[in-house]
Amino acid sequence: MEVLAGLAYGFGIALQPMNLLWCLLGCVLGTLVGIMPGLGPAAAIAMLMPISFNMDPTGGIIMLAGIYYGAKYGGSTTSILLNIPGEASSVASCIDGYQMAKRGRAGAALGIAAIASFVAGTFGVVLLTLVAPPIARFALSFSSPEYFALLSLGLALVVLFAGESPIKAALAMLLGLWFTSIGIDLFSAQARFTFGQTALLNGIDFMIVAIGVFAVAEVLGSVQARTDAQLLSVPRGIRNLLPNWEELKACRFALVNGSITGFLVGVLPGAGSSISSFIAYAFEKLFSKHPERFGQGAPEGLAAPEAANNADTSGALVPMLTLGLPGGGTTAILLSALVLWGLKPGPMLMQDSPNVFWGLVASMYIGNLMLLLLNLPLVPLFAQALRIPAYVLFPMILGISVVGVFGVAQSIFHVGLLAGFGLLGYAMARLGFPGAPLILGFVLGDGMERALRQSLQMSGGDLGILVSRPIAAGLLVAAVLVLIMPLVGRFNRWRLRGIAENG
Amino acid sequence: MKRRGFLVGAAALTVLSGVGPAEAQYTPSRPIDLVVHSGPGAGPDAFGRALIAAIEAEKISPVRIQINHKIGGGGATAASYIIEKKGDTNTIGLFTSAWIANPLVQADMKATVKEMTPVVRLVIEPAVFAVRADSPYKSMQEIVDAAKKDPTKIKQSGGSPLARDAIVRHVLMSNTGARWAFVSFPTGSERIAALLGGHVDMMIIEPSEAGELIRGGQMRALAQVSDKRLSTFPNTPTLREAGFNVPNVPQARGFVAPPDTPREVIAFYEQLFEKLVKSPTWQKYLTDNQFEDAFLKSEETGKFFDQYSDLMRGILTGAGIRVVR
């Protein structure tokens, strides 16, 4: 009842005309920020913070949060249309989203992304409303050994991205693990694999690897294949630009899976939204009746990660609003905005400033609805963009990629790195190495190494800490199961063949 | 550039007060670039933006000041950029203690504050030792005693081995003979989560981060890492008051200019920041964020760099970390 009263109070605030306007402004800006690779929500919010100081804190946080979750809606657009992830959290959306676009279902893919974002975004806010304090306590029971086990499970799921050759997938993953270890090592404060380059001391930004291996490599491959004037076919008629019933039906479970996975992983301060979308994608494939369709343009392979990265935003707000602990870069900036307004984020925020807390939560219901209404009509418009002929489109993709990387790193050295990763991605594609395991290794490897070494620092070097804690042990068992599952399948086929031959 | 600045500066003579007659005047004629080593939103960037906002609110700069991000290398990219900007009087860099400490250990970091021109030191960030609210330890001495009895018992969450929390641990361990584990986490919120979840026993935390968690009944402060007690923690002893005779390891922020910046240019910046430091807007910012006002002019800032490097070099060597310069 307390929750309902709070929510009603919140809607009273969020529905005030000025706050509605701030919410809309935030959502529009967020969508734009999401579409542009290289301009992330963190940077956009930081740039707008000085302007928002003169605003009332409730309106201000409503607008800034709108940018945060709005960016997740926009992020899928370039993933689907151009194979360029607009945000780190949309990388998993490239895999099946772009394949759908290639098959002439770009409009359907954009529509599914918008719908999945809406469903999961709303689901996440409902959970945020109902269970924020207990789930924050659950998140605190996770520490390094649990993170190590969770990330091991994530890495084990790489077998699902393997494609035809598990060996090639494993090699690609190892490459990703190596790249992620470049830079200053947190534990020894020493540089690794930097070859005397100051620019490498901070490691390589994830966006550079993802844009290089996906977008640049794709353009190089298409140019070599002498793709005709038009890269992707766009069917005529508005009807064909929207998802059809079969496609929506295929996404049912993906929406549930993505919503729950995204929220739970989002709550953990120390995971991150790229991880939740990858894990949701892998779960979807793991439990699918048609795993072979993944990577070929399966709608559920797009819906799961898109749902996950939106549910994740509400999840990440849980520790921020209940404990003052931001789970990632963007929530950290939202938190500093609250501080600069003179509010005190922490366990007392809900009591001290109920207008901000409940106003924000209620505005997120409204914002998600606004984003759906904003994004769906844009679908046909964006889909038309693919009618651009290749001799315009390819330079455009390369241009966006270069600008995006320069925006992230602000150095020409990193643009050079982008070219390097583009060539690497191209070579890998030519030799039949899948790109996704490399990205997965890159995303998960860093946190996994850290979690392992933290666990050992905690236990004084005793590996037993990884199996003596129940959550960690459970997750590790799940990881082992995932790893041996394909072997069981193979053994089973071999056994059946044996029976058939003998019988 | 310099000559033109001199002429404009002469015109602005009446605007600036408190200038000795012997010093030539300098006023910048184009916007000042304020170089920070973090991305938008992170610590140094947030500090720089708050500083610019205060300068604008108090109208004490003749030109606009803008943030220039030189991200990477734990400050190395920004530091090399400042060195490259030799001869440019419109660029200053926001230094943190990492600019002084990291090059001591990392051979790849070739740009040191020693080559730059010190401008001012602005603030020192104090810190407190904190435990979970329900922790059995009521004082620093109890924790140290427990650690002495069993070196595997106590764990501290913190940052990199060069960060202030790790350094203070080394100082305390060599002073008391106790040993305890140090678990590195890249972000502050992960360090706090590890403490609140009961996975570690203590941490060193900035008072602005700890304040709300203490008020919300999640954390307790045992001791302060500062020279004198903070107004917000009147009942918590400093380390020295708690009976630990250890040097204070200050975490400082301030500004440096490119190498060989002329004296009159430095004088301009000194005056700009001196006015800022005296302004109510800035004082309020310091109170809100619990920074210690630690204003030093150019010469003293240079001396501070030397003292701090020597202190760090001694501590790091004692802790068995390889020092390269």
Side-chain angles (χ1 to χ4, degrees):
Chain A
M1 276 339 275
E2 212 177 300
V3 169
L4 282 182
L7 197 59
Y9 170 63
F11 270 109
I13 293 166
L15 286 170
Q16 286 165 11
M18 265 328 270
N19 287 341
L20 277 178
L21 190 70
W22 293 129
C23 186
L24 179 67
L25 186 64
C27 290
V28 172
L29 283 173
T31 306
L32 292 176
V33 164
I35 291 172
M36 281 184 270
L39 179 61
I45 293 175
M47 281 185 264
L48 282 176
M49 246 163 60
I51 302 170
S52 63
F53 286 157
N54 301 327
M55 291 166 61
D56 146 63
T58 315
I61 193 74
I62 285 176
M63 180 184 82
L64 296 184
I67 298 176
Y68 173 43
Y69 56 80
K72 299 288 177 79
Y73 276 76
S76 57
T77 310
T78 46
S79 303
I80 293 168
L81 297 178
L82 307 174
N83 211 17
I84 305 176
E87 304 303 324
S89 56
S90 336
V91 173
S93 310
C94 285
I95 305 170
D96 275 284
Y98 183 62
Q99 290 302 325
M100 280 183 80
K102 266 186 145 175
R103 299 176 156 222
R105 301 297 299 157
L110 290 169
I112 286 172
I115 292 166
S117 298
F118 171 71
V119 171
T122 307
F123 176 85
V125 189
V126 172
L127 284 190
L128 171 65
T129 316
L130 296 177
V131 294
I135 204 123
R137 276 196 294 280
F138 159 77
L140 286 181
S141 67
F142 262 65
S143 193
S144 311
E146 286 77 21
Y147 282 120
F148 174 74
L150 176 72
L151 294 170
S152 305
L153 174 62
L155 216 51
L157 292 168
V158 82
V159 294
L160 300 168
F161 293 87
E164 280 150 32
S165 161
I167 305 263
K168 284 182 173 174
L171 286 172
M173 185 190 78
L174 283 176
L175 214 51
L177 290 177
W178 175 46
F179 291 142
T180 199
S181 66
I182 293 174
I184 294 176
D185 166 41
L186 172 70
F187 298 87
S188 61
Q190 294 298 324
R192 299 190 295 192
F193 304 116
T194 55
F195 306 104
Q197 286 285 344
T198 316
L200 283 176
L201 283 176
N202 246 27
I204 300 172
D205 193 275
F206 168 71
M207 289 298 287
I208 299 174
V209 184
I211 295 179
V213 170
F214 281 142
V216 177
E218 176 74 23
V219 169
L220 295 178
S222 305
V223 168
Q224 196 209 21
R226 292 178 186 277
T227 311
D228 288 336
Q230 198 170 306
L231 178 64
L232 310 171
S233 58
V234 181
R236 304 215 168 263
I238 192 100
R239 216 152 205 286
N240 293 322
L241 283 174
L242 291 172
N244 59 34
W245 183 239
E246 280 75 47
E247 284 165 331
L248 285 177
K249 221 171 95 183
C251 296
R252 275 172 307 172
F253 296 109
L255 295 179
V256 179
N257 157 26
S259 301
I260 296 174
T261 312
F263 186 81
L264 288 181
V265 176
V267 166
L268 305 173
S273 57
S274 42
I275 296 177
S276 70
S277 54
F278 268 116
I279 291 184
Y281 180 86
F283 274 158
E284 196 57 36
K285 188 171 177 185
L286 188 61
F287 295 112
S288 169
K289 286 196 193 101
H290 310 284
E292 72 284 353
R293 282 172 42 202
F294 282 73
Q296 313 289 326
E300 61 269 36
L302 170 66
E306 267 310 299
N309 70 33
N310 281 276
D312 176 281
T313 52
S314 306
L317 287 176
V318 170
M320 183 194 125
L321 290 173
T322 55
L323 294 168
L325 298 181
T330 317
T331 39
I333 294 171
L334 284 176
L335 194 81
S336 59
L338 290 177
V339 174
L340 285 170
W341 276 310
L343 299 170
K344 294 173 173 169
M348 309 295 275
L349 181 74
M350 215 193 289
Q351 286 173 36
D352 288 353
S353 320
N355 53 334
V356 170
F357 181 87
W358 287 111
L360 171 64
V361 170
S363 82
M364 289 176 69
Y365 286 93
I366 302 167
N368 271 291
L369 193 64
M370 282 180 179
L371 281 163
L372 182 71
L373 297 177
L374 206 72
N375 277 270
L376 271 186
L378 288 177
V379 163
L381 189 73
F382 281 133
Q384 298 297 329
L386 293 180
R387 292 194 197 279
I388 301 171
Y391 58 83
V392 179
L393 189 63
F394 288 163
M396 207 172 83
I397 295 178
L398 287 179
I400 295 174
S401 302
V402 168
V403 170
V405 165
F406 194 80
V408 169
Q410 311 216 337
S411 93
I412 206 73
F413 175 83
H414 290 89
V415 176
L417 273 182
L418 171 75
F421 280 110
L423 287 173
L424 175 73
Y426 169 72
M428 283 172 61
R430 291 286 289 167
L431 299 170
F433 286 88
L438 186 152
I439 304 284
L440 198 65
F442 191 85
V443 177
L444 303 182
D446 185 38
M448 191 169 155
E449 184 204 353
R450 229 166 29 218
L452 178 62
R453 291 171 71 179
Q454 283 160 352
S455 306
L456 292 176
Q457 285 184 329
M458 282 182 187
S459 68
D462 179 8
L463 278 167
I465 191 171
L466 298 174
V467 288
S468 62
R469 299 166 55 123
I471 303 178
L475 287 167
L476 281 176
V477 168
V480 172
L481 286 180
V482 167
L483 274 182
I484 59 174
M485 217 147 68
L487 294 178
V488 172
R490 200 166 290 179
F491 174 76
N492 214 16
R493 274 198 297 280
W494 172 76
R495 190 177 60 101
L496 287 176
R497 203 166 54 213
I499 293 170
E501 279 167 10
N502 291 339
Chain B
M1 183 59 235
K2 217 188 293 169
R3 190 173 302 150
R4 194 168 141 220
F6 177 83
L7 292 174
V8 179
L13 185 68
T14 47
V15 183
L16 299 170
S17 57
V19 185
E23 266 174 3
Q25 289 298 304
Y26 165 82
T27 307
S29 51
R30 58 186 176 88
I32 297 166
D33 246 13
L34 197 161
V35 177
V36 298
H37 70 260
S38 79
D45 172 74
F47 184 82
R49 281 178 200 278
L51 180 124
I52 292 173
I55 288 178
E56 278 171 5
E58 298 283 344
K59 300 188 173 57
I60 44 181
S61 173
V63 290
R64 218 155 44 78
I65 306 179
Q66 61 205 17
I67 296 244
N68 185 355
H69 298 105
K70 290 290 164 196
I71 310 156
T77 312
S80 337
Y81 180 77
I82 295 289
I83 302 271
E84 277 167 33
K85 281 285 166 180
K86 186 172 174 173
D88 182 340
T89 54
N90 285 71
T91 300
I92 51 172
L94 173 62
F95 76 82
T96 65
S97 295
W99 287 39
I100 317 170
N102 292 3
L104 293 177
V105 175
Q106 267 123 22
D108 290 344
M109 289 191 176
K110 294 181 186 79
T112 63
V113 288
K114 196 95 194 108
E115 300 163 64
M116 304 171 198
T117 318
V119 178
V120 290
R121 186 181 76 177
L122 279 182
V123 297
I124 283 180
E125 297 164 71
V128 293
F129 267 99
V131 292
R132 229 157 84 119
D134 59 2
S135 159
Y137 306 109
K138 303 286 179 223
S139 70
M140 225 28 235
Q141 193 61 50
E142 283 180 28
I143 285 215
V144 169
D145 289 344
K148 262 188 195 161
K149 215 182 284 168
D150 179 2
T152 62
K153 190 168 172 63
I154 303 295
K155 301 174 199 89
Q156 176 190 349
S157 62
S160 108
L162 298 183
R164 183 241 311 253
D165 45 13
I167 300 296
V168 173
R169 165 179 169 262
H170 282 305
V171 171
L172 267 179
M173 288 200 313
S174 54
N175 182 269
T176 60
R179 315 252 346 137
W180 63 85
F182 185 81
V183 188
S184 296
F185 293 90
T187 68
S189 60
E190 285 167 81
R191 286 164 219 158
I192 300 171
L195 183 77
L196 294 184
H199 309 287
V200 297
D201 304 281
M202 65 164 161
M203 70 180 293
I204 293 177
I205 178 172
E206 265 99 70
S208 54
E209 276 183 298
E212 277 309 288
L213 290 162
I214 290 173
R215 197 165 69 93
Q218 311 263 349
M219 250 189 204
R220 271 189 294 122
L222 294 186
Q224 311 194 21
V225 187
S226 60
D227 280 327
K228 51 183 190 290
R229 290 190 191 193
L230 298 168
S231 59
T232 36
F233 294 91
N235 302 318
T236 310
T238 64
L239 278 178
R240 277 214 197 98
E241 288 170 345
F244 301 96
N245 189 19
V246 290
N248 188 30
V249 185
Q251 178 111 310
R253 286 183 190 181
F255 286 97
V256 281
D260 307 324
T261 304
R263 178 66 212 144
E264 66 266 23
V265 177
I266 297 298
F268 163 78
Y269 286 115
E270 280 178 338
Q271 281 158 17
L272 176 73
F273 288 116
E274 196 166 18
K275 275 187 198 162
L276 172 74
V277 166
K278 285 181 183 150
S279 73
T281 318
W282 184 248
Q283 287 300 329
K284 182 176 178 312
Y285 174 76
L286 294 188
T287 319
D288 288 350
N289 289 276
Q290 316 220 14
F291 287 124
E292 205 177 310
D293 194 346
F295 182 74
L296 288 182
K297 286 191 169 185
S298 173
E299 212 185 319
E300 290 79 36
T301 305
K303 283 185 195 142
F304 165 74
F305 287 161
D306 292 341
Q307 287 163 3
Y308 190 80
S309 315
D310 291 345
L311 176 67
M312 288 296 283
R313 203 176 284 116
I315 297 169
L316 291 171
T317 315
I321 295 173
R322 196 168 55 97
V323 174
V324 292
R325 21 179 98 76

